[in-house]
Amino acid sequence: MQFSLVATDKQSKARAGVVQTAHGAIETPIFMPVGTAGTVKAVHQRELKEDVKAEIILGNTYHLYLRPGLNVLEQAGGLHKFNGWDRPILTDSGGYQVFSLAGTRKIKEEGVKFRSHIDGSSLDFTPENVMDTQRIIGADIIMAFDECTPYPCDYTYAKNSMERTHRWLQRCVDRFDSTEPKYGYDQTLFPIVQGSTYKDLRVKSAETIAGFGREGNAIGGLSVGEPAEMMYEMTEVVCDILPADKPRYLMGVGTPANILENIALGVDMFDCVLPTRNARNGMLFTTQGVINIRNKKWADDFSPIDAELGGYVSTFYTKAYLRHLVHSTEYLAGQIASVHNLTFYLWLV
């Protein structure tokens, strides 16, 4: 993987660049639609390419490990072949599930023991087997196995967790560098900065992660409930340390305002379930502001969903029709709204 800076902003730390991968180029800043279980919910691959203009999507190691399972993915030739997406894919290592499934997991030095949310069976994730799993999934960008700490989080816990994440990173790097890609194309490993909302821990973690010299770096453990200003403060601290000639990925962020603020701080890559999750609940992000399509005011509004945005669904369907679909609980409502919101996010960045 290679990253080249194309331009920098004189008024902020924002920059534009290009990430070159085996499955094509990614122009940054970029928003990456989340396809947790091998699909961006309710959106065809053709729509992702032609309407949304997505350049990279996400998969999730924990969920793909459970379903469809590694045997199926390996037989298919990896996730690209399995779901028909021929552009880059990034996989989250399962570190976020260490946070989100806190009630059904145990963390030890060796790794994390999960209880499957599907059938309750026991799963062991270690830095080594998470690298192997992501190799089999076939992601272009593989994330290190880490612990995403909650907010609030006391200092001692945050420090111990960060230090374990660094030890796990060394094991991830050792395993990754001693194994080969499965399907004949290059893969790359991104380490993840942790440290909760403590500046000294974030500085330490950013310096440690930068010292590994990988092709890109990620910032984790933010957008987990902390105030937005605190997120921006931590992001700025970390971006000032992470090397400028490598892409910076802020995990799980966020709202349009979050994304714009963090671009101004020097972040290049983003992902979040917000545009698709909110779409399924009737919240639309538009060039004219946020609207709740469920509201009665749209019942007889026959203007396009967002004429300024462009794209098929945003200009073809009317607000009144989409509101009708939502109130009728038609599946098409979630599909139209999801494609629209993702189109907005890609337009925004």
Side-chain angles (χ1 to χ4, degrees):
M1 196 201 80
Q2 294 180 318
F3 177 66
S4 53
L5 272 178
V6 176
T8 54
D9 179 40
K10 290 183 174 65
Q11 272 74 49
S12 73
K13 296 170 186 173
R15 64 255 199 94
V18 180
V19 178
Q20 291 286 350
T21 76
H23 284 96
I26 306 159
E27 293 187 356
T28 63
I30 192 66
F31 179 81
M32 305 180 284
V34 176
T36 301
T39 172
V40 176
K41 279 186 172 60
V43 184
H44 291 294
Q45 320 303 17
R46 182 183 59 78
E47 293 170 322
L48 280 174
K49 290 177 72 169
E50 297 179 10
D51 298 333
V52 174
K53 309 284 196 249
E55 297 178 9
I56 175 173
I57 62 173
L58 265 66
N60 182 274
T61 296
Y62 168 86
H63 289 280
L64 291 168
Y65 177 87
L66 291 176
R67 291 186 296 208
L70 299 186
N71 287 339
V72 170
L73 287 168
E74 192 164 16
Q75 287 178 58
L79 185 57
H80 289 93
K81 295 284 180 62
F82 186 59
N83 71 1
W85 178 255
D86 61 3
R87 292 180 179 179
I89 293 176
L90 181 151
T91 42
D92 175 13
S93 67
Y96 183 74
Q97 277 65 49
V98 180
F99 159 74
S100 64
L101 301 176
T104 59
R105 54 86 171 137
K106 289 184 179 177
I107 304 172
K108 295 184 177 179
E109 186 63 30
E110 178 58 24
V112 179
K113 188 178 288 290
F114 290 101
R115 286 275 172 201
S116 165
H117 71 286
I118 298 170
D119 61 10
S121 60
S122 181
L123 312 168
D124 290 305
F125 274 30
T126 68
E128 291 80 11
N129 68 29
V130 164
M131 294 299 97
D132 297 345
T133 297
Q134 291 182 84
R135 287 283 202 199
I136 293 170
I137 293 170
D140 297 271
I141 300 173
I142 286 172
M143 301 309 299
F145 191 46
D146 66 329
E147 181 189 358
C148 176
T149 51
Y151 177 84
C153 175
D154 74 64
Y155 184 87
T156 301
Y157 187 96
K159 182 174 184 291
N160 291 338
S161 171
M162 177 198 74
E163 289 171 348
R164 182 169 51 238
T165 287
H166 294 166
R167 293 192 296 273
W168 283 358
L169 172 59
Q170 184 62 63
R171 289 166 58 189
C172 287
V173 167
D174 291 345
R175 185 59 154 238
F176 183 86
D177 288 349
S178 64
T179 55
E180 296 293 327
K182 294 285 295 180
Y183 310 111
Y185 55 84
D186 286 337
Q187 297 172 300
T188 193
L189 171 65
F190 279 25
I192 303 171
V193 176
Q194 288 291 347
S196 188
T197 52
Y198 301 101
K199 183 177 178 180
D200 63 319
L201 297 184
R202 285 286 174 178
V203 168
K204 174 69 173 173
S205 190
E207 290 172 349
T208 301
I209 265 60
F212 276 82
R214 308 309 293 193
E215 289 90 351
N217 299 293
I219 306 166
L222 295 175
S223 193
V224 291
E226 80 282 357
E229 290 306 318
M230 198 171 277
M231 180 207 326
Y232 303 144
E233 181 187 354
M234 294 301 106
T235 300
E236 185 167 26
V237 165
V238 171
C239 283
D240 286 348
I241 295 169
L242 293 179
D245 60 348
K246 310 281 179 68
R248 304 175 185 133
Y249 163 31
L250 181 57
M251 305 177 76
V253 175
T255 67
N258 291 160
I259 288 173
L260 292 180
E261 288 287 345
N262 283 298
I263 286 173
L265 296 173
V267 175
D268 308 295
M269 303 167 70
F270 301 88
D271 80 284
C272 191
V273 297
L274 197 65
T276 45
R277 179 178 289 169
N278 284 18
R280 297 192 300 276
N281 294 319
M283 178 186 282
L284 303 182
F285 299 96
T286 80
T287 56
Q288 310 305 307
V290 178
I291 66 173
N292 182 350
I293 202 66
R294 292 175 174 276
N295 289 350
K296 193 173 190 328
K297 65 183 288 190
W298 310 116
D300 58 356
D301 187 327
F302 304 108
S303 64
I305 294 168
D306 193 345
E308 297 296 316
L309 182 63
Y312 173 69
V313 304
S314 308
T315 56
F316 182 83
Y317 295 107
T318 66
K319 297 183 184 76
Y321 180 62
L322 180 54
R323 180 183 183 275
H324 156 70
L325 293 179
V326 169
H327 280 275
S328 302
T329 62
E330 287 288 345
Y331 291 131
L332 184 59
Q335 189 171 4
I336 291 171
S338 295
V339 173
H340 165 78
N341 276 357
L342 288 172
T343 302
F344 173 86
Y345 265 61
L346 268 293
W347 166 83
L348 181 76
V349 295

